[in-house]
């Protein structure tokens, strides 16, 4: 069971505060999409609008070709996995998972069989008669997932589902979510503020900021070819070097950069791991000022010889780090020049 | 210091419990007056109480009024709390205030007011009128206990139930009420005990069928007797039984 979702010019205000500015977004059937952004960016509001908990001030929500804007949650082919799991404490796991089926009038034996299957799927088949308070956080998480999927929704909404879990468990759950999504084929709409989590699970990431969509694309797209300075920064650490136009090319504080740019001013963005001793864009000679070993890489601070005071952070592979004070030629890959939003 | 604090503890208990102990002890008095000295031990007053038709009728009336009015107060309080917890209306604060307001008014004033209104409406003083009066005093209690027990956790569970397709009455009956079971039981049994020994409203609003406190009051008019001690002890026993049962069942392990 899966369905396409379309948001058409969704505008939402809370009193004087505009939470969403005319958002348009189409989610393909069976897609795993992640709404990513800092708190207050409107991602949770958009999810609540899709689930039917909030009616947008303007605009339409279309699920499977039908206008669902004013349909309450129980009339929608969506279910939600809530941030705090929202399990029913007075029911066994089997009754929790079977609740949605019970509300749909499914008979007791069929309901129990299906709920048991769903519990098996999330690896809790042997705990069917337990109650939620007997479980660990990660296990409750799985029950919430099983409960939401038991009614075979067309679209599953996940509201920061992994926020309360520790790092290791979170990674594991990310893999499981992805695997389960592939298996059931349901459209997943996942909200998070953790960019690593977004990249780990998403087919497509929607980066949101202040009620608008900043960038929408595959994880590689969003990470390596960001469309705006905001999404470039939000997706991870970034070297930002102000550049100005010099004819067709860009001019940085430490010399010309072999890249074309539009507009008069911009920001050259290069991820630390995309700087090294070879690449397609030369950054000129630089001196290593400081470095530290982080296990997976050496984190090195370089100072270009042509522009003292400017710092470039590079993550170099293990064992490839020059001595402090040494001069090297630096190159970059996957560099992009973006418009400076603050100046614009 | 240690001895002093123990002495203090003992004094407190004596102060709180002495009247009750005296009541129970002298209900076994083998004599006409429930005052010292204790002349002997007899159960004849209890036998008289049980044989007294009026007293037994009053006991039964009290029972009906207490459980009936508490059930109504519980349902109304639960629905009011559910509604006010779910949506933030412009007048929510005022509505909550008005709901709780009767708690601050004395029973005498409430009783007088009801007496006048019932007169206008043509509702004669009766057990029904008394029951309505007890709903008036117990609804604020039920509402505030239940409302206080509803938290964010509860709200999210209700959202989840709606999301999974529950109708509003199913949300209330299958998720909200079971999750609030301890608060519901607490407010119900507190209402029962308040209604059980309420005198002023019952005195003003009953005439032919009267409740137990009113019956005891009319017995006292003909002077002290170990019989009134006996009926008092029985009432006390019922209250103790309710409290102990609650202690052993609902309040024993607070749910996480």
């Amino acid at each position: 069971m899966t369905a396409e979702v379309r948001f058409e010019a969704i505008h939402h205000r809370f009193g004087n505060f505009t939470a969403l500015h005319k958002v348009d977004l189409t989610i393909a059937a069976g897609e795993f999409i992640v709404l990513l952004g800092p708190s207050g960016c409107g991602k949770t509001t958009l999810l609540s609008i899709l689930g039917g908990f909030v009616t947008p001030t303007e605009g339409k929500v279309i699920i499977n070709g039908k206008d669902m804007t004013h349909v309450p949650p129980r009339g929608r082919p969506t279910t939600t996995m809530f941030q705090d799991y929202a399990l029913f404490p007075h029911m066994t796991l089997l009754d929790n998972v079977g609740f949605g089926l019970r509300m749909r009038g499914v008979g007791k034996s069929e309901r129990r069989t299906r709920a048991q299957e769903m519990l098996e799927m999330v690896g809790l088949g042997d705990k069917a008669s337990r109650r939620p308070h007997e479980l660990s956080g990660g296990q409750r998480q799985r029950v919430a997932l099983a409960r939401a999927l038991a009614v075979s929704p067309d679209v599953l909404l996940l509201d920061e589902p992994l926020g309360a879990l520790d790092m290791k468990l979170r990674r594991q759950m990310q893999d499981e979510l992805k695997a389960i999504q592939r298996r059931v084929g349901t459209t997943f709409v996942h909200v998070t503020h953790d960019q690593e989590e977004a990249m780990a699970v998403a087919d497509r990431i929607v980066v949101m900021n202040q009620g608008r969509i900043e960038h929408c694309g595959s994880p590689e797209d969003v990470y390596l070819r960001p469309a705006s300075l905001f999404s470039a920064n939000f997706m991870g650490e970034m070297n930002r070097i102000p550049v100005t136009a010099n004819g067709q090319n860009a001019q940085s504080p430490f010399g010309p950069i072999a890249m074309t740019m539009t507009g008069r001013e911009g920001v050259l963005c290069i991820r630390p791991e995309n700087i090294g001793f070879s690449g397609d864009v030369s950054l000129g000679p630089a001196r290593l000022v400081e470095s530290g070993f982080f296990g997976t890489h050496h984190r090195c601070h370089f100072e270009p010889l042509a522009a003292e005071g400017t710092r470039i952070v590079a993550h170099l592979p293990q064992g490839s780090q020059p001595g402090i004070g040494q001069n090297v030629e630096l190159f970059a890959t996957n560099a992009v020049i973006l418009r400076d939003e603050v100046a614009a | 210091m240690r001895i002093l604090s123990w002495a203090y503890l003992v004094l407190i208990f004596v102060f709180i419990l002495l009247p009750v102990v005296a009541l129970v002890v002298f209900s076994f008095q083998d004599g006409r007056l429930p005052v010292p000295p204790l002349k002997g031990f007899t159960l004849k007053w209890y036998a008289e109480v049980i044989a007294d038709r009026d007293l037994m009728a009053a006991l039964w009336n009290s029972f009906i009024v207490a459980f009936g009015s508490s059930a109504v107060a519980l349902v109304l309080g639960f629905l009011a709390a559910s509604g006010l917890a779910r949506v933030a209306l412009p007048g929510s604060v005022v509505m909550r205030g008005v709901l709780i307001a009767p708690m601050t008014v004395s029973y005498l004033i409430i009783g007088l007011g009801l007496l006048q209104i019932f007169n206008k409406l043509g509702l004669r003083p009766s057990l029904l009128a008394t029951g309505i009066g007890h709903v008036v005093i117990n609804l604020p209690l039920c509402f505030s206990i239940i409302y206080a027990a509803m938290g964010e956790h509860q709200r999210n569970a209700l959202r989840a139930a709606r999301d999974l397709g529950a109708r509003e009455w199913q949300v209330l009956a299958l998720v909200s009420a079971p999750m609030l079971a301890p608060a519901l039981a607490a407010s119900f049994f507190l209402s029962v005990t308040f209604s059980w020994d309420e005198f002023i409203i019952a005195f003003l609003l009953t005439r032919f069928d009267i409740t137990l406190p009113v019956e005891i009051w009319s017995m006292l008019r003909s002077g002290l007797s170990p019989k009134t001690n006996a009926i008092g002890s029985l009432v006390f026993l019922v209250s103790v039984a309710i409290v102990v049962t609650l202690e052993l069942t609902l309040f024993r392990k607070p749910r996480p």
Side-chain angles (χ1 to χ4, degrees), chain B residues 80-100 143 147 155:
Chain B
S82 300
L84 283 172
R86 185 179 167 189
V87 284
L89 294 170
S92 287
V93 179
V94 179
M95 275 189 253
R96 280 208 304 275
V98 170
L99 268 168
I100 297 172
F143 169 77
Y147 188 80
R155 277 173 65 107

Coordinates of all heavy atoms in Angstrom, one line a residue, chain B residues 80-100 143 147 155:
Chain B
A80 N -15.8 17.1 31.0 CA -15.4 18.5 31.1 C -13.8 18.6 31.0 O -13.3 19.3 30.2 CB -15.9 19.2 32.3
A81 N -13.2 17.7 31.7 CA -11.7 17.7 31.7 C -11.2 17.3 30.4 O -10.2 18.0 29.9 CB -11.1 16.8 32.8
S82 N -11.8 16.3 29.8 CA -11.3 15.9 28.4 C -11.4 17.0 27.4 O -10.5 17.3 26.6 CB -12.1 14.7 27.9 OG -12.0 13.6 28.8
G83 N -12.6 17.7 27.5 CA -12.8 18.8 26.5 C -11.8 19.9 26.7 O -11.2 20.4 25.8
L84 N -11.7 20.3 28.0 CA -10.8 21.5 28.2 C -9.3 21.2 28.0 O -8.6 22.1 27.7 CB -11.1 22.0 29.6 CG -12.4 22.9 29.8 CD1 -12.6 23.2 31.2 CD2 -12.2 24.2 29.0
A85 N -9.0 19.9 28.2 CA -7.6 19.6 28.0 C -7.2 19.5 26.5 O -6.1 19.6 26.1 CB -7.2 18.2 28.7
R86 N -8.3 19.2 25.7 CA -8.0 18.9 24.3 C -7.8 20.2 23.5 O -6.9 20.3 22.7 CB -9.1 18.1 23.7 CG -8.8 17.7 22.3 CD -9.8 16.9 21.6 NE -9.6 16.9 20.2 CZ -10.4 16.4 19.3 NH1 -11.5 15.9 19.7 NH2 -10.0 16.4 18.0
V87 N -8.7 21.2 23.7 CA -8.6 22.4 22.9 C -8.4 23.6 23.8 O -8.9 23.7 24.9 CB -9.8 22.6 22.0 CG1 -9.8 21.7 20.8 CG2 -11.1 22.4 22.8
A88 N -7.6 24.6 23.3 CA -7.5 25.8 24.0 C -8.4 26.9 23.4 O -8.1 27.5 22.4 CB -6.0 26.3 23.9
L89 N -9.6 27.0 24.1 CA -10.5 28.0 23.6 C -10.2 29.3 24.2 O -9.5 29.4 25.2 CB -12.0 27.6 24.0 CG -12.5 26.3 23.4 CD1 -13.8 25.8 24.0 CD2 -12.7 26.5 21.9
P90 N -10.7 30.4 23.6 CA -10.4 31.7 24.2 C -10.8 31.8 25.7 O -10.1 32.4 26.5 CB -11.3 32.7 23.4 CG -11.5 32.0 22.1 CD -11.5 30.5 22.4
G91 N -11.9 31.2 26.1 CA -12.4 31.3 27.5 C -12.0 30.2 28.4 O -12.6 30.0 29.4
S92 N -11.0 29.4 28.0 CA -10.7 28.2 28.7 C -10.4 28.4 30.2 O -10.9 27.7 31.1 CB -9.4 27.5 28.1 OG -9.8 26.9 26.9
V93 N -9.6 29.5 30.5 CA -9.2 29.7 31.8 C -10.5 30.1 32.7 O -10.7 29.6 33.8 CB -8.2 30.9 31.9 CG1 -7.9 31.2 33.3 CG2 -7.0 30.5 31.1
V94 N -11.4 30.9 32.1 CA -12.6 31.3 32.8 C -13.4 30.1 33.0 O -14.0 29.9 34.1 CB -13.3 32.4 31.9 CG1 -14.6 32.8 32.6 CG2 -12.5 33.6 31.7
M95 N -13.6 29.2 32.0 CA -14.4 28.0 32.1 C -13.9 27.1 33.2 O -14.7 26.6 34.0 CB -14.4 27.3 30.8 CG -15.5 27.8 29.8 SD -15.6 26.7 28.4 CE -14.8 27.7 27.2
R96 N -12.6 27.0 33.3 CA -12.0 26.1 34.4 C -12.3 26.7 35.7 O -12.7 26.1 36.7 CB -10.5 26.0 34.2 CG -10.1 25.0 33.2 CD -8.7 24.4 33.5 NE -7.7 25.5 33.7 CZ -7.0 26.0 32.7 NH1 -7.2 25.6 31.4 NH2 -6.1 26.9 32.9
G97 N -12.2 28.1 35.8 CA -12.5 28.8 37.0 C -13.9 28.6 37.5 O -14.2 28.3 38.7
V98 N -14.8 28.8 36.6 CA -16.3 28.6 36.9 C -16.6 27.2 37.3 O -17.3 27.0 38.3 CB -17.1 29.0 35.7 CG1 -18.6 28.7 35.9 CG2 -17.0 30.5 35.4
L99 N -15.9 26.2 36.7 CA -16.2 24.8 37.1 C -15.7 24.5 38.5 O -16.3 23.7 39.2 CB -15.4 23.9 36.1 CG -16.2 23.4 34.9 CD1 -15.3 22.8 33.9 CD2 -17.3 22.5 35.3
I100 N -14.6 25.1 38.9 CA -14.0 24.8 40.2 C -14.7 25.7 41.3 O -14.7 25.3 42.5 CB -12.5 25.0 40.2 CG1 -11.9 24.0 39.2 CG2 -11.9 24.8 41.5 CD1 -10.5 24.2 38.9
F143 N -13.6 17.1 38.6 CA -13.0 17.8 37.4 C -11.5 18.1 37.7 O -10.6 17.8 36.9 CB -13.7 19.1 37.1 CG -13.0 20.0 36.2 CD1 -13.0 19.7 34.8 CD2 -12.3 21.1 36.6 CE1 -12.3 20.5 33.9 CE2 -11.6 21.9 35.7 CZ -11.6 21.6 34.4
Y147 N -8.5 16.6 35.7 CA -7.8 17.5 34.8 C -6.3 17.5 35.2 O -5.4 17.6 34.3 CB -8.4 18.9 35.0 CG -7.8 19.9 34.0 CD1 -8.3 20.0 32.7 CD2 -6.9 20.8 34.4 CE1 -7.8 20.9 31.8 CE2 -6.4 21.8 33.5 CZ -6.9 21.8 32.2 OH -6.4 22.7 31.3
R155 N -2.1 13.3 26.2 CA -2.5 14.0 24.9 C -1.9 13.3 23.7 O -2.6 13.1 22.7 CB -1.9 15.4 24.9 CG -2.8 16.4 25.7 CD -2.0 17.7 25.7 NE -1.9 18.3 24.4 CZ -2.6 19.3 23.9 NH1 -3.4 19.9 24.7 NH2 -2.4 19.8 22.7

